[in-house]
Amino acid sequence: MIENTKKKKKVVLIISALWWALSFLIEPLIFDVSARSDNIIVYLCAKLLCFCIFTLIITFLYDLVEGIVTGKRNLAVRSALYAIPIWVLVSALWLYRGAEIGGEEGLILENAARYDMMNGIFTYITPLVDILLLMTIPSFKAAMFLKIFFLGLDGGYVIARITECFNVRFVPLLIYAAFVTPPAVLQSYSVHRSPIYGMLYLFLSAKLMCDWKEEKSLDRKNLIMAALSISLLTWWRSEGIYFFVLGPIAVFLAYRVRLSKRNAAGLLAVIFGFQAIVYLPKTAAPELTIENYEKHQLTPFYNYALTGMLINGLDRNENADILSVTEEYMKTDFIDILYSEYGEHIYDEGYATYDMYHSGVNREATEEILDRYEKNVLQLIINNPLLFLKAQVKAFSHISTHYSSLCLSSVFGNLWILVLWLIALLVWSAVKKKWFLFVLTLCPICHGCITTLFLPAAYFKYYYPEFLYGWFTLAFVLSGVVEYLKKKRNENGK
């Protein structure tokens, strides 16, 4: 056993090192290597992380080949088998739709090819992920397939773990619905940050839940994996901040860590250590060099908040003084024109800020104008909190109902069904005193509440993590029910 482990490590390291060396030679095929010296720190960090990723991929492939050769259906083999339908279906759908790369996705990939961290457009992790994808396979199209590879493997891993937990074959296949049913299918072949964030969310949720069910211990590998995932989910997107508190609690409960000062201190030291590692580059990353970028990072939110309140009955006479100031940046009649033209689709397309056919937004606004605009929209929110909440909830609801097909609206796209499921799961876990499940389910609920409160536009992608968690827990719970019924039937048969 020890000899096999040593052999595996040796083979993995040798192949990973060769692949890593090769990556230096093939970089000119996709990267603008002349920009390397201008982004040398980004480059060196990416290369280091790239070797880690190569090691993980080769480790998986080693386990896969070993499982096939020996005839053992280990986790790698089962994950790959369950991943095949996702790989085939999602790739086929993407190719059928023209193998397009979205506007923002293309922009991020183009900048990644220059080792550029986008100068303030996204959190540094987003372009770094694309740099790593291109270092792995030097092609924009291949980067898409690589993302689909990881997506399928994520889904395959989740299905394999659930079947392992309950010895139930068909119910876990419900996970497929999370990737190939509308409107989730669009997220399945998008390399934008939200879908990849959702993949990581699903992986961590499934790992913690299944390890909890199987009563696994918190060894070094599990701790590092959980700490890194929690840290990325905390800082990659602003709404993930709740993981800073709930993440360590979930790990503590999932692995049934014995409550003591020493255990708590050790666990928190590792998790918060990773938090610092992920957070600190954010404070010095090139994206923060744009003048006043962070100061006005919430401008899109204020635009949609103003739009939402105006179309939901804001008393314009009562708030005339405030609106006279907001007019300096966004014209009220501009929003009225958009609403008359697009109706409630004004929620989901970003028209309030990005519409090119009207000139209601002051593109030449000075710093002082933006300051006054944001302060006065914030004052509108403070003066009309219930109206603001109504507008944000209507934007959330719009995501569930703006599809033309009744089937899409009533089942796959309806986030209210997801809300009811998560609340039911939270209440049940509290009643049954399943505190790990309670804390883990509280995470997507917090995610959804924060997202809705600060929703800049009604896009389904913002709720993709909750959507994946909903399908995963449905498959998990139903598998448990089926296993329980099987045991009862066998007992009665005796």
Side-chain angles (χ1 to χ4, degrees):
M1 183 67 179
I2 296 175
E3 288 295 324
N4 289 339
T5 302
K6 287 182 178 179
K7 177 184 175 183
K8 175 181 175 180
K9 287 182 178 179
K10 185 177 180 179
V11 171
V12 168
L13 285 174
I14 290 173
I15 297 177
S16 299
L18 290 173
W19 188 4
W20 192 61
L22 180 63
S23 72
F24 285 89
L25 300 177
I26 63 177
E27 272 181 43
L29 296 176
I30 190 68
F31 285 95
D32 178 4
V33 292
S34 64
R36 184 186 297 166
S37 58
D38 295 330
N39 300 281
I40 190 64
I41 295 177
V42 173
Y43 176 74
L44 293 175
C45 291
K47 272 302 181 185
L48 178 61
L49 291 171
C50 205
F51 182 78
C52 298
I53 290 173
F54 290 172
T55 302
L56 291 174
I57 293 174
I58 298 302
T59 299
F60 164 74
L61 293 177
Y62 184 97
D63 290 340
L64 179 64
V65 171
E66 184 182 52
I68 293 172
V69 171
T70 60
K72 295 179 180 178
R73 294 192 61 178
N74 58 24
L75 184 59
V77 172
R78 287 184 288 114
S79 296
L81 287 173
Y82 288 124
I84 289 173
I86 299 176
W87 288 334
V88 173
L89 286 170
V90 174
S91 298
L93 285 167
W94 180 55
L95 293 172
Y96 174 76
R97 296 193 63 170
E100 294 181 354
I101 299 177
E104 277 192 342
E105 295 168 33
L107 178 65
I108 299 170
L109 284 167
E110 287 171 9
N111 280 271
R114 295 191 291 272
Y115 312 101
D116 187 357
M117 301 296 270
M118 298 293 287
N119 288 328
I121 308 302
F122 302 109
T123 302
Y124 82 94
I125 300 172
T126 298
L128 184 57
V129 167
D130 287 70
I131 291 172
L132 294 174
L133 288 173
L134 295 180
M135 282 184 173
T136 305
I137 304 181
S139 163
F140 285 3
K141 297 290 186 183
M144 301 290 290
F145 279 114
L146 189 60
K147 185 263 177 177
I148 293 172
F149 168 78
F150 285 121
L151 174 85
L153 204 55
D154 197 19
Y157 168 82
V158 173
I159 296 172
R161 288 301 306 273
I162 297 177
T163 56
E164 190 178 72
C165 284
F166 296 104
N167 196 26
V168 174
R169 287 189 178 183
F170 298 108
V171 179
L173 300 184
L174 282 170
I175 297 297
Y176 288 137
F179 303 112
V180 299
T181 57
V185 67
L186 180 61
Q187 317 305 320
S188 297
Y189 49 75
S190 169
V191 292
H192 209 304
R193 62 198 188 283
S194 297
I196 298 179
Y197 184 94
M199 289 166 52
L200 180 59
Y201 202 103
L202 175 63
F203 167 77
L204 178 63
S205 300
K207 176 165 179 53
L208 291 181
M209 184 86 85
C210 293
D211 284 357
W212 170 70
K213 174 66 171 60
E214 295 176 343
E215 299 186 7
K216 291 195 173 183
S217 60
L218 185 61
D219 58 22
R220 184 183 303 174
K221 179 181 175 182
N222 288 334
L223 178 56
I224 291 174
M225 202 171 293
L228 178 59
S229 299
I230 287 169
S231 302
L232 289 171
L233 291 172
T234 300
W235 300 114
W236 192 346
R237 295 187 61 85
S238 301
E239 59 268 34
I241 192 62
Y242 60 90
F243 261 114
F244 190 81
V245 175
L246 294 182
I249 297 173
V251 173
F252 204 94
L253 294 172
Y255 294 102
R256 296 171 175 84
V257 178
R258 189 170 60 85
L259 191 60
S260 70
K261 290 182 180 180
R262 181 179 178 181
N263 289 342
L267 178 63
L268 293 178
V270 173
I271 292 179
F272 290 141
F274 274 92
Q275 292 278 7
I277 291 170
V278 174
Y279 173 75
L280 288 176
K282 180 180 169 69
T283 64
E287 81 265 18
L288 303 184
T289 60
I290 281 187
E291 186 177 0
N292 296 317
Y293 171 72
E294 278 200 313
K295 187 175 181 181
H296 296 294
Q297 194 173 5
L298 288 177
T299 298
F301 161 71
Y302 288 120
N303 294 340
Y304 286 103
L306 177 61
T307 300
M309 288 190 290
L310 282 170
I311 67 176
N312 279 284
L314 178 71
D315 191 322
R316 303 189 186 196
N317 292 325
E318 185 179 317
N319 296 281
D321 291 342
I322 294 179
L323 291 174
S324 67
V325 178
T326 62
E327 286 278 326
E328 295 177 344
Y329 179 72
M330 183 182 287
K331 302 295 183 183
T332 303
D333 59 354
F334 165 63
I335 295 174
D336 293 337
I337 291 170
L338 290 177
Y339 189 50
S340 64
E341 183 170 343
Y342 299 116
E344 293 209 344
H345 281 284
I346 194 174
Y347 284 123
D348 63 85
E349 288 297 343
Y351 293 121
T353 305
Y354 307 114
D355 189 277
M356 295 290 104
Y357 302 102
H358 302 290
S359 56
V361 173
N362 181 2
R363 307 290 178 186
E364 306 300 324
T366 63
E367 181 72 16
E368 291 73 23
I369 289 175
L370 271 174
D371 279 339
R372 288 197 297 271
Y373 170 73
E374 293 181 358
K375 287 177 182 177
N376 278 270
V377 175
L378 180 59
Q379 192 59 51
L380 276 178
I381 294 171
I382 294 171
N383 293 348
N384 304 272
L386 294 180
L387 179 63
F388 167 71
L389 289 175
K390 174 186 175 183
Q392 296 301 95
V393 171
K394 282 194 70 175
F396 169 85
S397 188
H398 175 72
I399 299 173
S400 301
T401 57
H402 75 279
Y403 301 101
S404 57
S405 165
L406 177 62
C407 177
L408 298 187
S409 298
S410 61
V411 182
F412 300 120
N414 198 317
L415 295 174
W416 288 112
I417 295 176
L418 173 63
V419 169
L420 293 174
W421 167 248
L422 293 180
I423 291 175
L425 197 59
L426 191 73
V427 172
W428 182 85
S429 58
V431 170
K432 294 293 184 178
K433 297 183 179 180
K434 306 285 187 181
W435 299 121
F436 163 70
L437 181 58
F438 179 87
V439 171
L440 195 66
T441 304
L442 192 60
C443 288
I445 291 176
C446 288
H447 191 280
C449 289
I450 295 172
T451 299
T452 301
L453 192 63
F454 294 101
L455 193 66
Y459 295 149
F460 174 83
K461 65 182 181 181
Y462 294 139
Y463 297 98
Y464 190 51
E466 296 94 311
F467 182 83
L468 292 176
Y469 183 86
W471 278 106
F472 159 63
T473 49
L474 178 64
F476 189 89
V477 170
L478 288 180
S479 296
V481 171
V482 170
E483 182 187 55
Y484 173 78
L485 293 175
K486 279 184 176 180
K487 286 181 179 178
K488 282 292 182 183
R489 186 178 60 185
N490 291 336
E491 288 174 1
N492 291 335
K494 292 179 181 179

